[in-house]
Amino acid sequence: MGAASRYWKFITIDATGRRKVEEIASAKVFLKQLFREQIGQPDVGDAMWQRQLWRLLLQDSTRGMADVCLRCFISHQIEQVCVQLETQFGREHGFTRSDLFPFVLDDDSVLKEREKGGKRESNYKSLATEILQSFDPERSSLATWTTRLVKHHQELNKFLLERGVYLISNWAILNDTKRKQLQRIFSEFCRFTSVEIERACILLDSYHAVYRRDRLKSRQSLRADLTATLPESLPLRSRCLPPTDTQLQQIAQLFRAKTSQILSGESVMKELQDMAEYLREYRIYVRGGKPPEESLDEPNNREFAVSIKANIFGSTLEEREEETEFLKLYRDSFEKSLDEAVKGAIASRISLLQRQNSQASQQFLLALNLFHCQAKSMAEIASLVGLQAQYQVTRLLKLKEFRSDVRQQMLKLLRNWVLEKATAYADPEQLQTLSERVDTALDEQITAIIQQAEAEACTAKKTSVKSLFTEKICQHLQELKF
């Protein structure tokens, strides 16, 4: 009876945006008369209910009630999609299902029919109406079709983009990204080196050669399923699934043939996902979305303390208080170590450039300021520092090498601090075990900061929000009067 009730209980929102469930008594009576033998049977699926209701929708005498029953089901499915989106993205991106409901639970025709005795007068086309008008029970289930249209809803996607959520899979992003687009995005927004860009392009070409070939074959075999009438807002395409193990191996073989570099299937998967995430951040930006933000106070930054907790802290109240104290000291030291590492890396680069060319050291400081603090493009920086081309700026900054230098200095500083402070909490036997784990734990934390800086390079031109890495650079450059 619970599953059947989805066809006579209607989910909507009230004037304040709160979810409410209305039982439509006439729909309940209608269904119980129509399906008196099937009601309550657990093995009766939605497909049977929907096919019969769809046939009744085409008959004048039963059209009204069949329409109400299908709209009730659609309202339940829309709610489930919102719940799924909240579960998947809500906590990280700051929204709940209640924030999503007003965009898609916009169908009031069921309640109006009840109030007006079946005379529906409305020119507004709700999402549920769009779903019903484009649905074909011979090609899809109503649940699947509803899910698809909800996730393509324009206003819902606009809201999600503002919170940094782009509802397109990595594989769809890679599938429709052209080589020239990748070159431009990685050059102008990610500021990767020419070597890194060429490697990414070769990997993308290899992906396209395998993935698009197999996708074309699949679409040809299912061409009949792709000719359904779609709403204008919904592109005519099938879902992009993750590459199979066989496809990953074939991509690796093509990549090796072009570069002589050997990659495992797992490495191909990781590099493709990393590439897609850079492209995702770019697409979120150009669509007016919000880039991701991180803070040292977020739960991720407890991972370091958690990773060594077993070697130092126990579960008593006193030991938990010690853990909290240690974590606070660690946060302070983490930021101080980053500050010192940034200053050290800048000083090392200046010293090296001064030995080569005194003018180059001043150009480096100015370029670093323009890139990180003023979010200028490489082309803009070139003209401002007196260079002829953006590749010369890339060679001058050597951002990947600079970040690596900061990372190594920071790792050394933090490791010494952790081992020194840990002596106050751990006994000598524990310290030996702890020392073996500190490098791994710190490496993960520092890598996260560096990766955030790399990701920010894709969106630095678009947002005033700066990573901690960039803040430290700008603070130090300000001290140096740059």
Side-chain angles (χ1 to χ4, degrees):
M1 185 69 73
S5 67
R6 290 176 297 167
Y7 293 89
W8 65 67
K9 288 185 177 180
F10 184 67
I11 298 177
T12 184
I13 54 175
D14 60 22
T16 65
R18 292 181 179 179
R19 170 192 182 272
K20 67 176 182 179
V21 180
E22 297 270 358
E23 182 174 298
I24 311 301
S26 56
K28 185 175 182 179
V29 172
F30 174 76
L31 276 171
K32 286 190 172 183
Q33 290 176 344
L34 182 66
F35 301 115
R36 61 175 61 91
E37 295 181 0
Q38 292 90 347
I39 291 286
Q41 293 183 12
D43 58 341
V44 178
D46 285 318
M48 186 279 294
W49 293 76
Q50 290 164 16
R51 279 195 299 269
Q52 294 204 42
L53 286 170
W54 189 258
R55 284 194 291 267
L56 295 173
L57 190 65
L58 304 177
Q59 301 175 21
D60 290 340
S61 60
T62 54
R63 178 181 298 129
M65 291 314 305
D67 182 77
V68 168
C69 293
L70 289 171
R71 287 174 184 271
C72 285
F73 176 86
I74 288 171
S75 72
H76 282 268
Q77 188 61 29
I78 289 175
E79 179 190 39
Q80 287 306 305
V81 178
C82 293
V83 171
Q84 178 192 28
L85 292 172
E86 178 195 58
T87 301
Q88 190 172 0
F89 304 110
R91 182 174 180 180
E92 181 180 353
H93 295 273
F95 66 85
T96 67
R97 66 191 72 178
S98 297
D99 297 319
L100 307 181
F101 287 158
F103 296 105
V104 286
L105 282 176
D106 59 346
D107 186 20
D108 61 357
S109 59
V110 171
L111 301 182
K112 282 187 175 181
E113 172 153 334
R114 184 184 62 182
E115 293 166 1
K116 296 184 178 182
K119 296 180 180 179
R120 192 178 305 151
E121 299 175 1
S122 176
N123 294 323
Y124 177 72
K125 187 176 181 180
S126 66
L127 175 59
T129 298
E130 185 178 5
I131 291 168
L132 280 175
Q133 289 180 350
S134 57
F135 174 59
D136 186 339
E138 298 302 322
R139 293 190 171 96
S140 176
S141 73
L142 187 55
T144 300
W145 192 246
T146 299
T147 298
R148 189 178 184 192
L149 267 65
V150 170
K151 290 187 175 181
H152 282 86
H153 190 273
Q154 186 175 359
E155 292 304 315
L156 177 67
N157 274 279
K158 182 179 179 181
F159 172 86
L160 293 172
L161 278 170
E162 289 173 352
R163 282 149 182 80
V165 179
Y166 182 48
L167 293 181
I168 301 294
S169 73
N170 284 344
W171 316 115
I173 290 174
L174 292 174
N175 188 57
D176 65 12
T177 296
K178 297 179 176 64
R179 179 186 242 264
K180 288 187 177 180
Q181 289 176 315
L182 183 70
Q183 287 176 324
R184 177 177 58 81
I185 294 167
F186 275 20
S187 172
E188 296 178 6
F189 293 91
C190 297
R191 282 105 173 206
F192 288 162
T193 66
S194 58
V195 174
E196 292 171 324
I197 294 171
E198 181 60 23
R199 174 188 171 87
C201 286
I202 293 173
L203 184 59
L204 182 66
D205 290 341
S206 302
Y207 174 80
H208 284 168
V210 173
Y211 195 82
R212 286 178 172 175
R213 176 202 66 198
D214 293 348
R215 182 168 165 77
L216 179 60
K217 291 179 181 178
S218 176
R219 292 184 69 181
Q220 287 174 339
S221 66
L222 298 173
R223 182 173 297 277
D225 290 337
L226 299 177
T227 57
T229 301
L230 302 176
E232 294 181 0
S233 61
L234 187 64
L236 180 62
R237 61 181 65 179
S238 57
R239 182 184 176 191
C240 287
L241 299 174
T244 64
D245 290 341
T246 299
Q247 289 175 322
L248 291 171
Q249 291 298 331
Q250 291 173 349
I251 294 169
Q253 291 171 6
L254 288 177
F255 183 80
R256 181 181 181 181
K258 296 176 181 178
T259 65
S260 299
Q261 298 178 27
I262 300 175
L263 290 179
S264 65
E266 292 81 3
S267 297
V268 171
M269 174 68 84
K270 184 180 185 305
E271 291 199 27
L272 288 173
Q273 289 175 325
D274 289 344
M275 186 191 305
E277 286 305 316
Y278 283 118
L279 294 171
R280 182 183 299 278
E281 293 301 328
Y282 171 75
R283 291 191 183 193
I284 289 174
Y285 153 66
V286 296
R287 288 164 172 79
K290 177 182 177 183
E293 302 173 24
E294 292 185 9
S295 166
L296 277 175
D297 295 323
E298 290 299 313
N300 284 345
N301 296 283
R302 288 191 62 89
E303 291 178 1
F304 170 75
V306 171
S307 67
I308 62 173
K309 177 179 177 180
N311 295 96
I312 301 180
F313 306 109
S315 58
T316 67
L317 176 60
E318 181 180 358
E319 288 167 327
R320 288 199 301 271
E321 290 175 348
E322 288 179 344
E323 179 190 351
T324 301
E325 180 185 4
F326 179 85
L327 182 57
K328 183 179 183 304
L329 292 171
Y330 168 71
R331 286 196 186 107
D332 294 340
S333 182
F334 188 95
E335 189 166 341
K336 289 177 182 177
S337 296
L338 176 58
D339 188 43
E340 290 184 37
V342 165
K343 290 179 180 178
I346 291 175
S348 296
R349 184 65 63 83
I350 291 174
S351 177
L352 175 63
L353 291 173
Q354 282 179 337
R355 291 197 298 269
Q356 298 173 348
N357 184 336
S358 59
Q359 182 182 359
S361 64
Q362 297 300 304
Q363 287 177 319
F364 168 74
L365 289 173
L366 179 56
L368 200 64
N369 179 281
L370 292 169
F371 178 82
H372 284 290
C373 311
Q374 300 184 39
K376 300 292 185 182
S377 68
M378 290 296 187
E380 291 172 317
I381 294 173
S383 62
L384 292 171
V385 302
L387 296 175
Q388 295 180 346
Q390 67 179 45
Y391 78 86
Q392 293 177 306
V393 179
T394 301
R395 186 181 301 167
L396 174 67
L397 287 174
K398 294 182 178 179
L399 291 174
K400 189 172 183 178
E401 182 180 311
F402 176 76
R403 288 191 289 257
S404 177
D405 192 11
V406 171
R407 182 179 179 280
Q408 292 302 317
Q409 291 194 43
M410 193 176 177
L411 179 60
K412 182 179 178 180
L413 289 166
L414 268 179
R415 186 182 191 279
N416 292 338
W417 179 89
V418 169
L419 292 177
E420 178 184 348
K421 292 297 180 184
T423 58
Y425 303 97
D427 59 44
E429 292 182 0
Q430 289 176 308
L431 285 177
Q432 182 176 357
T433 304
L434 174 64
S435 179
E436 297 170 356
R437 300 187 61 185
V438 163
D439 285 348
T440 300
L442 288 175
D443 184 66
E444 291 175 356
Q445 287 285 296
I446 297 171
T447 297
I449 287 291
I450 299 302
Q451 287 177 341
Q452 182 185 4
E454 291 173 348
E456 181 188 54
C458 287
T459 55
K461 193 174 181 180
K462 310 90 179 172
T463 176
S464 60
V465 179
K466 290 183 172 62
S467 67
L468 186 61
F469 180 88
T470 295
E471 286 181 2
K472 292 301 179 185
I473 291 175
C474 295
Q475 287 173 9
H476 186 50
L477 290 175
Q478 190 174 16
E479 293 172 1
L480 295 175
K481 307 302 181 184
F482 271 90

